[in-house]
Amino acid sequence: MFVSVDEVNSEQAKWIDARFSLQDSGEGRRQYGESHISGAVYWDLEEDLSDMSKKAGRHPMPEKEALTELFRRSGLNRDDLIIVYDQGGSPFAPRAWWFLHYAGFQNAVIAIEGFEELRTKGIPVDDVEAKPVRTDVQPDWNEELYASREFVERTVASRTDSRLVDARAAERYRGEVEPLDPVAGRIPGALNFDWEQLKQDGRFRADDTLRNQLAAIVDPTEEVTVYCGSGVTAAPLYAMLRQVDYPNVRLYVGSYSDWISKEDAPVEKG
């Protein structure tokens, strides 16, 4: 999950640059063009890690065929050490990592350091667009990591053992404000843990204090399904739960924006 590059053999790694801005969708690609880790390929949140033609939320899940093509043209094999980075303390590298995790890339990790810190550590950078050798990798999809809308509907109806955890800010969870989606509120029965609490000084942390904060919300022995507004900021919460030894965690990629896409979808407030 989250590692410092000091803890891995970064010289043998394949790198993925996942920098992005929700305010300016072209910023990450421009940053990549200016400078990136040498050899890194760029994965765009909206072009590669979402299927924006779908109506299943604001950042819908791509089809498996599209993800497989992404892995192959990125030159990846399932046993590669793969390091994903973004600007640091952001949800974009965890989003990219989750798809690798879902597809069976067991040696994929998220760099704790953002790009600028990686550069100051002496990791080589350049502005040359990577052209990796294409592979014929076959993903090994693990459906126990993925929560479909139908799975969440069964969970709301108490027909699964999973506990829903909403990664949005508390005021959005309570339905007091909703800056992005047309309906305020939360999925019924969901607990709340703001993903911003995963960070300290702009970096993700995995200390005992955080373990205790998470355990106060949901027990590590329980199955957990995390969601947010569009499936992006829930990804670091998913990764952190796995980091601190929650063995049964799913990500609802469509998240709240997909949940409310059906007019009769129930929501809670307060």
Side-chain angles (χ1 to χ4, degrees):
M1 281 69 77
F2 296 100
V3 302
S4 168
V5 292
D6 299 331
E7 302 169 7
V8 295
N9 186 354
S10 60
E11 293 182 0
Q12 300 298 317
K14 293 181 178 178
W15 291 84
I16 295 170
D17 185 323
R19 284 176 290 176
F20 194 79
S21 169
L22 292 170
Q23 290 72 45
D24 179 356
S25 62
E27 181 176 330
R29 188 170 290 280
R30 287 195 298 272
Q31 291 174 330
Y32 174 83
E34 293 168 0
S35 184
H36 53 262
I37 302 300
S38 297
V41 295
Y42 181 70
W43 284 7
D44 186 280
L45 171 66
E46 295 188 346
E47 294 183 12
D48 300 311
L49 303 175
S50 309
D51 183 345
M52 303 301 285
S53 69
K54 293 182 177 180
K55 303 300 182 184
R58 284 184 282 108
H59 290 103
M61 183 159 172
E63 295 296 329
K64 290 177 179 176
E65 292 80 7
L67 290 169
T68 299
E69 172 60 21
L70 176 64
F71 304 148
R72 290 176 176 178
R73 72 170 183 261
S74 299
L76 304 182
N77 294 294
R78 290 223 321 266
D79 58 353
D80 289 336
L81 170 60
I82 303 168
I83 305 176
V84 191
Y85 69 92
D86 55 23
Q87 50 267 61
S90 297
F92 312 113
R95 166 85 168 199
W97 169 84
W98 185 85
F99 284 113
L100 291 164
H101 179 55
Y102 174 52
F105 291 82
Q106 298 298 321
N107 297 318
V109 297
I110 306 161
I112 285 283
E113 299 91 348
F115 173 71
E116 292 301 331
E117 188 175 356
L118 290 169
R119 176 158 54 181
T120 63
K121 283 180 172 286
I123 305 297
V125 303
D126 60 43
D127 61 359
V128 179
E129 183 171 357
K131 298 187 183 299
V133 177
R134 184 182 177 86
T135 68
D136 59 359
V137 65
Q138 293 289 343
D140 181 18
W141 309 103
N142 185 350
E143 299 303 335
E144 293 184 356
L145 312 181
Y146 169 70
S148 65
R149 182 195 175 90
E150 292 71 26
F151 179 87
V152 175
E153 288 173 343
R154 294 199 307 272
T155 300
V156 171
S158 301
R159 295 203 301 269
T160 80
D161 293 327
S162 200
R163 300 297 300 273
L164 290 166
V165 179
D166 186 321
R168 297 175 301 164
E171 58 269 24
R172 291 183 71 192
Y173 166 81
R174 293 191 297 264
E176 296 167 1
V177 298
E178 183 44 64
L180 299 172
D181 292 310
V183 179
R186 62 178 178 270
I187 300 175
L191 307 169
N192 181 226
F193 192 91
D194 184 349
W195 79 281
E196 294 280 1
Q197 297 177 81
L198 303 173
K199 299 185 288 182
Q200 186 171 16
D201 300 326
R203 260 174 160 237
F204 289 107
R205 60 193 178 98
D207 52 36
D208 288 341
T209 299
L210 179 59
R211 286 175 183 267
N212 293 335
Q213 289 174 322
L214 289 166
I217 300 299
V218 63
D219 192 275
T221 63
E222 295 186 272
E223 181 180 302
V224 182
T225 297
V226 295
Y227 76 91
C228 56
S230 70
V232 177
T233 59
L237 179 55
Y238 175 99
M240 190 61 73
L241 287 167
R242 294 302 301 261
Q243 181 99 5
V244 298
D245 302 322
Y246 283 68
N248 299 310
V249 189
R250 294 175 184 257
L251 176 64
Y252 177 22
V253 179
S255 282
Y256 185 73
S257 57
D258 176 52
W259 181 256
I260 61 170
S261 65
K262 286 189 177 180
E263 291 184 4
D264 59 347
V267 299
E268 287 182 345
K269 295 184 179 181

